[in-house]
Amino acid sequence: EAHSPSLVGVGSAGMASSPCGGGNLDCGLEIQTRSVEQTLIPLVSQITTLINHKDKLKKTEKTLRAIQRVGQAVSVAVGRFVAVGEAIAAENEDLKDEMGLACFEARRAGTAIAQLTDVSSLEQCEGDGRSTVFSDRTGMVKAARMLLSSVTKVLVLADCIVIKQIISSRNKVLVTLEQLERVSTFQEFVQIFSQFGNEMVEFAHLTGDRQNDLKDEKKRARMAAARAVLEKCTMMLLTASKTCLRHPDCESARINKEAVFQRMRLALEQVIEIVTDTRSGGEAKALPVSIYAGIKDFKVKVEGLRDSLYCVSCEAVAAQLEALMEKTEDFTDSAYTSHEQREIIIQLCQITRQETKQLINTWRHAQSLKAKEATDEMELSILKTGQSVSDLRRELHRVAVGRATELLKLHSDHLVLQALKASGGDGNLEAVADYAGTLTEHKEQLVETCRLLCHISGTEPLEITCIHAEETFRVIGPQIISAAQTLALHPTSKIAKENLDVFCEAWESQLCDMAILVKEINDVFEGRRGDKKTYLSLPRPGKHSANLKTVKAAKLDAEEQTTIAKLGLELCLLTSDVDSEVERWDEQDHEMVRLCQIISSMAYSMYLFTRGEGLLKTTLDLFHQAEVPLLDEDRILILSETEKLSDVCQQLQVCAKTPVQGKSAIFQKVDSSIQNTKGILTVVVYLLPICNKLIRKCKSERSCVASPQHWREKQLNTTVSEETLNGKGSNGFGVKSLEQHMANLTFLESK
């Protein structure tokens, strides 16, 4: 039976799960992206098919022909693959030698596999004494190892070209950024900023595609945070620079501008650190251990005692508990934690200490008896200790989320920002100073709350998002104050007023992001929709319609409201059906699962819209959301349903892009959009269990004569045309072309 192992790297660890018989292959390469991994998996599957045949396989003519077809298919696919790799080498002089050698080794390995699988007849197989897959298993393993090593190296080298382009794009942005910082006239600024805008768009395309392709969730979260900073800072840079040019002698304007440039440089540096997997300071910076992570690790050690009483020392468990208790001081020492909450946390910490002490006593007693497994008394202590730390985590979660919810409600009216704008516009420096003190206090509250949320967030990507939120509040608070001071010094300046507005909008936007973050943390804690895939085509609220005329809101009558509410509820129920079907799949990383999760997430956003909740605030947001990409027919197993699905998707796109005017027409468009989305989900719910069943059946029936169709067609079935050699069109081996990197994402998709 063929396998599709998860490739975590190309080295001894990465190849340990390969079909290479446990060989210690280490070419110093690590697979960072999904595209490279997904390209390798089918090849690994085909090689496994050839190697893992039964030693006493019955050599029928049918079996021999099948093995020969697989070997020839691998050889032909490798030939096409190498042709593309050689074309890439010709265009990149600095990688030419290394790429050329990898291509040569891949071609040689492919030829060896074709020769070893040339067993077209029984007589030839048994009579001519030539080495075959049956007689020279070691030779086949050696050829397979060489092929996987060389193909992986070609892929990773090709990926290096993408990384180089991101670095080159960053360097161009940095050069232009320095020019912008030194300009002294508006005319010069406008000219350079236009160039800067084009370079930032290119950088956004490249980094957005890279973000989606990264395997590591923490890196994706860090990339999203860095790109969010660049998105917001681009507008800040524009207004802060204009204000400085208009008021060149204003110290607060200079401070405001310098802070924006510094933050952009740090974000650009962070992107490069993620892409190149290095840090400017040398060693990688580890995330501070959160209480959630500490509790999780502590429970793993405690529950591991059931398997072995000697896997960890009593002192180590006791020390880990005390480190955990020390971190709870972030909650108990906070000036914003109520007396009642503080007492409950301290009490739960004491209970946890007592239960752990009792566990250690029973553990030592069991060890003194030379017990091989946990005693009944020890089992009870393990359960009680686990329950006590779970109770502690639950209380900390309640405190942190409760604090965040209260603060978000308190700041929802943005009274302090409005007061700063008004005081600045009146030229009242004293009032600005007073309100600046209030904003600083709010900033400290939000910063501390983000730190507490980080402790209980539940996943490392959410921890990174909490850290990003904390840093954003810490930086933007003083920037708002400096912008308000500038306006107070120049109360008639339209540019200074615009600058303050931009920074206040960034603060409000971060509050909205924090509300979403709190909901995601709650979802993870309660086990619902916490890991829902993001629909990446969704822009941030209102951003995409910034240049459109404002449309007067139309109030729906009772009947229309009822109709939309009913449609929304039906949509919500269908998303639950899709999620339920998806959860039954064994391969949660399967492309089918990913696509269905995206569609379900899109539909759930529409449901929230019908309730007046979520990210979709206007009908324009809804229609933009409905511009769902057509599903690739090759990925659907039932042709009739595929055609139906494609038709409904097409209808949804046409509906979403058709301009309408007037209340009745807009209502009809909303109704049609939701109806068509319902139709898509209905087909998806029908297809999911059938596809799942077929995939399982295919796996169970797959033997050493498995078809090479998947590898041949999906990854390497492309002729090396003149366009391909010139860098146009598909590159033929699964690494996205540079044109694709430029085509899809904008700064609006940084979430």
Side-chain angles (χ1 to χ4, degrees):
E1 179 181 350
H3 302 279
S4 296
S6 175
L7 301 171
V8 295
V10 181
S12 57
M15 284 298 139
S17 57
S18 77
C20 298
N24 186 24
L25 172 67
D26 189 351
C27 55
L29 301 176
E30 182 182 358
I31 298 174
Q32 302 273 2
T33 59
R34 294 170 175 172
S35 56
V36 172
E37 182 177 76
Q38 292 303 313
T39 302
L40 283 173
I41 285 174
L43 178 59
V44 172
S45 177
Q46 292 300 326
I47 296 298
T48 308
T49 296
L50 292 174
I51 291 178
N52 288 355
H53 64 77
K54 298 175 182 177
D55 290 333
K56 296 182 179 180
L57 183 69
K58 189 175 180 181
K59 300 173 187 175
T60 65
E61 290 289 348
K62 183 178 179 181
T63 300
L64 294 173
R65 284 196 301 271
I67 288 177
Q68 187 171 31
R69 282 200 305 271
V70 173
Q72 288 174 345
V74 169
S75 179
V76 170
V78 169
R80 292 172 177 162
F81 175 91
V82 167
V84 177
E86 289 170 342
I88 292 174
E91 296 172 358
N92 295 270
E93 190 66 30
D94 54 339
L95 294 176
K96 186 174 182 179
D97 293 342
E98 202 171 0
M99 180 76 86
L101 178 60
C103 289
F104 171 77
E105 290 177 347
R107 194 187 296 277
R108 187 173 65 174
T111 301
I113 288 174
Q115 291 173 349
L116 287 167
T117 54
D118 184 14
V119 287
S120 56
S121 70
L122 284 170
E123 293 78 10
Q124 183 188 46
C125 182
E126 296 174 352
D128 61 6
R130 179 173 47 83
S131 295
T132 68
V133 67
F134 296 105
S135 62
D136 189 8
R137 186 183 182 90
T138 302
M140 175 59 77
V141 170
K142 184 178 179 181
R145 290 181 62 203
M146 180 183 291
L147 180 60
L148 287 177
S149 172
S150 55
V151 166
T152 302
K153 193 162 189 176
V154 171
L155 287 170
V156 174
L157 287 172
D159 194 55
C160 288
I161 296 169
V162 177
I163 294 174
K164 283 176 57 182
Q165 188 170 18
I166 293 175
I167 294 172
S168 174
S169 178
R170 188 282 307 259
N171 291 340
K172 287 193 294 184
V173 169
L174 274 179
V175 170
T176 311
L177 197 65
E178 291 177 2
Q179 293 174 354
L180 277 175
E181 200 169 14
R182 294 195 302 265
V183 296
S184 56
T185 66
F186 269 104
Q187 183 178 3
E188 185 183 8
F189 175 80
V190 169
Q191 180 182 357
I192 297 176
F193 190 83
S194 176
Q195 176 187 343
F196 176 77
N198 291 332
E199 291 170 352
M200 285 298 291
V201 168
E202 177 191 13
F203 190 68
H205 288 158
L206 292 168
T207 56
D209 205 25
R210 189 69 179 181
Q211 175 186 323
N212 291 333
D213 201 23
L214 286 169
K215 287 169 54 185
D216 190 289
E217 287 187 344
K218 292 183 290 184
K219 289 182 180 179
R220 287 204 301 272
R222 288 180 62 212
M223 181 75 87
R227 294 180 72 242
V229 170
L230 292 172
E231 175 195 348
K232 292 177 181 177
C233 282
T234 300
M235 181 55 71
M236 294 176 188
L237 184 145
L238 173 62
T239 58
S241 297
K242 286 166 60 180
T243 303
C244 231
L245 287 170
R246 180 59 59 87
H247 309 290
D249 299 325
C250 182
E251 179 68 10
S252 57
R254 183 189 62 78
I255 292 172
N256 185 261
K257 170 189 165 184
E258 287 179 353
V260 176
F261 276 86
Q262 176 65 11
R263 197 163 185 230
M264 287 203 76
R265 287 192 177 94
L266 289 174
L268 288 166
E269 184 64 31
Q270 182 176 352
V271 168
I272 299 305
E273 287 174 1
I274 297 164
V275 168
T276 59
D277 202 26
T278 58
R279 293 191 65 84
S280 56
E283 294 183 3
K285 180 181 177 182
L287 284 175
V289 178
S290 66
I291 291 176
Y292 167 80
I295 287 177
K296 184 178 179 182
D297 188 51
F298 178 76
K299 289 180 71 174
V300 167
K301 281 188 172 61
V302 168
E303 291 170 359
L305 296 176
R306 293 189 176 101
D307 300 322
S308 173
L309 302 182
Y310 309 96
C311 60
V312 65
S313 68
C314 301
E315 292 76 16
V317 171
Q320 187 174 4
L321 176 67
E322 285 310 308
L324 192 58
M325 296 297 101
E326 187 177 336
K327 290 184 182 298
T328 63
E329 293 174 3
D330 285 349
F331 287 79
T332 56
D333 291 352
S334 171
Y336 307 110
T337 301
S338 70
H339 177 73
E340 180 186 358
Q341 290 172 335
R342 186 176 292 108
E343 289 299 314
I344 293 174
I345 293 171
I346 292 173
Q347 183 181 8
L348 289 171
C349 287
Q350 188 60 32
I351 292 172
T352 302
R353 282 191 175 100
Q354 291 172 355
E355 296 296 350
T356 305
K357 184 178 180 181
Q358 178 62 26
L359 170 62
I360 290 174
N361 289 337
T362 59
W363 180 10
R364 283 175 173 156
H365 179 65
Q367 286 179 329
S368 69
L369 298 175
K370 307 297 183 183
K372 294 183 179 180
E373 58 183 23
T375 62
D376 291 345
E377 186 181 13
M378 190 175 167
E379 177 66 32
L380 180 61
S381 291
I382 290 173
L383 291 173
K384 286 185 175 181
T385 302
Q387 184 60 49
S388 64
V389 291
S390 295
D391 291 343
L392 176 61
R393 182 202 167 195
R394 188 177 298 106
E395 178 60 24
L396 296 177
H397 175 89
R398 187 180 71 83
V399 171
V401 170
R403 167 93 63 81
T405 303
E406 289 173 7
L407 279 179
L408 289 169
K409 185 176 181 181
L410 178 65
H411 299 319
S412 61
D413 51 14
H414 308 299
L415 289 179
V416 177
L417 299 182
Q418 293 172 15
L420 277 170
K421 291 178 184 179
S423 301
D426 293 339
N428 190 339
L429 278 169
E430 186 177 345
V432 165
D434 289 341
Y435 289 118
T438 305
L439 183 67
T440 299
E441 184 179 347
H442 289 179
K443 178 204 72 176
E444 291 302 327
Q445 291 176 348
L446 289 164
V447 164
E448 184 173 294
T449 301
C450 289
R451 195 177 301 125
L452 299 187
L453 286 173
C454 183
H455 271 309
I456 54 91
S457 56
T459 69
E460 287 186 320
L462 287 178
E463 284 182 23
I464 291 168
T465 307
C466 289
I467 293 170
H468 166 67
E470 176 186 341
E471 182 63 23
T472 300
F473 284 123
R474 192 190 304 279
V475 172
I476 292 183
Q479 289 179 311
I480 291 174
I481 293 171
S482 61
Q485 290 169 342
T486 302
L487 179 58
L489 291 169
H490 308 279
T492 60
S493 172
K494 291 183 178 179
I495 288 180
K497 181 180 182 301
E498 178 190 12
N499 188 46
L500 177 57
D501 287 341
V502 166
F503 283 96
C504 288
E505 286 172 7
W507 178 277
E508 294 168 7
S509 172
Q510 189 56 51
L511 285 173
C512 291
D513 290 347
M514 185 175 175
I516 296 169
L517 175 61
V518 171
K519 182 182 182 304
E520 289 175 344
I521 290 172
N522 252 335
D523 287 343
V524 169
F525 183 78
E526 296 173 11
R528 52 181 173 80
R529 306 187 75 90
D531 56 352
K532 190 79 171 176
K533 297 293 188 298
T534 306
Y535 182 63
L536 291 173
S537 293
L538 177 64
R540 301 180 67 135
K543 293 281 185 182
H544 65 277
S545 55
N547 296 324
L548 300 178
K549 293 182 179 178
T550 303
V551 180
K552 186 178 179 181
K555 185 173 178 65
L556 300 180
D557 58 36
E559 183 180 353
E560 291 170 332
Q561 289 181 12
T562 302
T563 301
I564 293 297
K566 181 174 180 293
L567 276 174
L569 184 59
E570 292 171 350
L571 206 56
C572 180
L573 294 173
L574 279 169
T575 63
S576 298
D577 291 342
V578 171
D579 293 343
S580 297
E581 290 295 341
V582 163
E583 287 172 1
R584 297 178 185 177
W585 283 53
D586 296 330
E587 295 182 34
Q588 286 296 302
D589 291 333
H590 196 280
E591 184 73 3
M592 188 73 173
V593 170
R594 188 185 68 81
L595 290 171
C596 291
Q597 286 173 328
I598 288 174
I599 295 173
S600 178
S601 181
M602 181 199 80
Y604 190 74
S605 296
M606 288 184 168
Y607 157 67
L608 291 178
F609 171 80
T610 65
R611 293 169 52 90
E613 302 172 3
L615 289 174
L616 306 181
K617 304 299 183 185
T618 68
T619 52
L620 288 172
D621 292 332
L622 177 78
F623 301 148
H624 184 89
Q625 171 83 314
E627 294 175 11
V628 59
L630 296 179
L631 296 180
D632 184 352
E633 289 183 7
D634 292 336
R635 295 171 180 166
I636 309 293
L637 298 175
I638 302 176
L639 294 178
S640 61
E641 291 298 324
T642 302
E643 292 173 3
K644 186 187 300 183
L645 186 63
S646 181
D647 289 343
V648 181
C649 286
Q650 189 68 50
Q651 291 170 17
L652 181 60
Q653 281 197 318
V654 171
C655 174
K657 293 180 179 179
T658 302
V660 295
Q661 290 183 342
K663 172 189 168 185
S664 177
I666 291 176
F667 171 79
Q668 186 60 44
K669 186 173 178 179
V670 170
D671 179 76
S672 298
S673 296
I674 297 178
Q675 290 280 18
N676 284 323
T677 304
K678 268 183 59 186
I680 292 172
L681 287 188
T682 301
V683 177
V684 168
V685 170
Y686 173 73
L687 280 172
L688 271 170
I690 299 175
C691 292
N692 193 19
K693 179 181 177 182
L694 288 173
I695 288 173
R696 287 180 175 178
K697 181 179 178 183
C698 178
K699 281 185 175 181
S700 65
E701 293 180 353
R702 194 182 299 157
S703 66
C704 65
V705 293
S707 168
Q709 195 76 6
H710 182 69
W711 167 251
R712 187 173 68 248
E713 291 188 354
K714 184 176 180 183
Q715 301 294 349
L716 295 177
N717 191 14
T718 178
T719 56
V720 185
S721 62
E722 183 178 350
E723 282 192 343
T724 302
L725 294 174
N726 290 330
K728 301 177 182 177
S730 170
N731 56 26
F733 55 88
V735 175
K736 296 180 180 178
S737 66
L738 301 182
E739 289 85 352
Q740 287 174 303
H741 278 288
M742 294 290 291
N744 296 323
L745 294 177
T746 69
F747 277 126
L748 300 179
E749 298 160 350
S750 63
K751 284 291 287 178

